[in-house]
Amino acid sequence: MRFISMITSAIFVIFILSWVYFNYPETRSFLNDFIARKKFNTLEVNYSAEAIMDAHKKTLLKDSHHTFLEPNLKFHPYLLMEVKFNRSFDKTGEGIILWSLVDGEMVINTNSWDMTHGFKDCISYGADKDDFKIINALTSRGGILDRDSLSKILNVDNEVLDNWIDNCRRKNLIVQNGNNYRLHFQNPRLQVMPETKLDRSIVTKSAKSESRITKRYRSSQIENIARSAFGNNFAIRKKTEIFLPVYSIVVQNPDGSQMTTHFNALNGKEMSQTLHLE
């Protein structure tokens, strides 16, 4: 009887843990991180901290009273997705997308590290497929259109169009100026091919001596926004989490204060000042 009771209790515990795992993305993400805490996939470092400091010495050190402190290497999480999509009317494209799990934007090219701008807000405000019909229509026409033009492009009933427009306005995705509607983003960059130009090696790294930046977004949020943005013919075939190595270069100022800049270890270039770093 005691053996049967132990088996029953074990089955019950396994059932509860399985239910929590499959119904709570945060718990699933935590467990996956815990399991993979010792090893993780990362893009390969191409530049040393010393090479970057030497290349930017004149800019970072204003005079002899400014000195470099010990640099720090951190790893920023990205979601790598293998995808397929309509490249043209009669051709299917296959490629990969690299999407930041920290700032919510997609990488367009790993050489320059050009990124989109606007997807972060779309995630934050809960943009869905219908919202992106309005967003994509505006983006394709320079970011501003009147209602009649939207109606002709989208070819839907007036009631449906009004509902889509109202939802976008309520979510602060678009604003109305008279009879015109425009995207509510500063310098939006949303009309891109769903593909990252990636020519860098992916290696396995030990997490012992390195630190990983905390994710701000779940993988499911990135997947949902990508599907909404890129349409019905966009499909995610496979996904995995990888990391970008980033150097924190610290300069000691004469007054005792410190200035920290962040450099991409792949291309040796300074990261955007708007990048969230924790």
Side-chain angles (χ1 to χ4, degrees):
M1 289 294 293
R2 186 176 180 181
F3 176 76
I4 295 175
S5 178
M6 290 174 62
I7 293 295
T8 303
S9 298
I11 293 173
F12 179 75
V13 170
I14 292 171
F15 173 79
I16 293 297
L17 291 175
S18 299
W19 185 87
V20 171
Y21 180 86
F22 287 108
N23 287 277
Y24 289 89
E26 295 83 359
T27 302
R28 184 163 61 249
S29 178
F30 172 80
L31 289 174
N32 289 338
D33 286 347
F34 180 79
I35 293 170
R37 70 190 182 279
K38 291 185 178 180
K39 295 284 186 178
F40 59 95
N41 294 322
T42 175
L43 294 164
E44 189 173 13
V45 172
N46 287 332
Y47 290 83
S48 68
E50 291 73 19
I52 291 173
M53 288 188 289
D54 186 60
H56 297 272
K57 186 175 181 179
K58 291 183 179 179
T59 303
L60 297 176
L61 300 183
K62 297 178 181 179
D63 54 44
S64 59
H65 298 294
H66 294 74
T67 57
F68 284 120
L69 298 182
E70 188 69 22
N72 186 24
L73 182 62
K74 293 189 176 182
F75 291 84
H76 292 234
Y78 284 76
L79 184 67
L80 188 147
M81 298 179 284
E82 295 181 16
V83 302
K84 63 178 181 178
F85 55 93
N86 270 1
R87 190 177 294 278
S88 61
F89 178 75
D90 59 350
K91 188 176 181 181
T92 293
E94 295 181 355
I96 64 101
I97 292 178
L98 198 59
W99 207 300
S100 173
L101 291 164
V102 176
D103 62 18
E105 299 291 346
M106 171 187 150
V107 179
I108 299 170
N109 188 312
T110 57
N111 282 322
S112 59
W113 213 257
D114 287 338
M115 300 186 75
T116 58
H117 180 70
F119 283 120
K120 172 187 173 181
D121 283 352
C122 291
I123 296 172
S124 299
Y125 296 132
D128 58 25
K129 288 186 177 182
D130 291 338
D131 297 326
F132 268 101
K133 291 172 183 174
I134 300 291
I135 292 171
N136 289 338
L138 291 172
T139 301
S140 67
R141 299 298 193 278
I144 185 168
L145 286 171
D146 59 29
R147 190 191 179 287
D148 288 341
S149 297
L150 275 172
S151 180
K152 290 177 183 177
I153 293 171
L154 297 173
N155 192 28
V156 293
D157 294 338
N158 288 331
E159 185 177 347
V160 173
L161 179 61
D162 289 338
N163 186 50
W164 289 354
I165 290 174
D166 288 343
N167 284 336
C168 283
R169 290 177 61 192
R170 179 172 48 81
K171 294 177 182 179
N172 289 311
L173 299 170
I174 66 172
V175 292
Q176 182 176 4
N177 292 328
N179 193 42
N180 291 325
Y181 298 94
R182 65 171 176 83
L183 294 172
H184 198 19
F185 306 100
Q186 183 177 356
N187 301 321
R189 194 175 187 183
L190 297 167
Q191 193 174 28
V192 295
M193 190 73 71
E195 183 177 21
T196 298
K197 293 182 179 178
L198 174 66
D199 59 355
R200 305 292 182 172
S201 300
I202 298 175
V203 297
T204 301
K205 195 81 173 177
S206 170
K208 266 187 176 180
S209 60
E210 318 295 359
S211 59
R212 288 182 283 180
I213 297 295
T214 302
K215 291 179 287 187
R216 287 179 178 266
Y217 300 98
R218 301 187 304 274
S219 297
S220 59
Q221 290 178 289
I222 302 302
E223 294 173 62
N224 289 338
I225 207 69
R227 289 191 180 98
S228 296
F230 298 130
N232 294 329
N233 296 314
F234 172 82
I236 300 171
R237 305 167 65 188
K238 186 180 178 182
K239 59 184 179 180
T240 185
E241 190 173 294
I242 68 170
F243 289 79
L244 168 70
V246 175
Y247 290 113
S248 295
I249 307 296
V250 183
V251 173
Q252 180 76 49
N253 299 321
D255 63 358
S257 63
Q258 297 177 356
M259 179 185 72
T260 302
T261 49
H262 307 278
F263 286 85
N264 187 322
L266 269 74
N267 59 19
K269 296 180 180 179
E270 186 175 356
M271 302 292 286
S272 169
Q273 293 297 317
T274 59
L275 184 70
H276 295 290
L277 297 151
E278 296 181 350

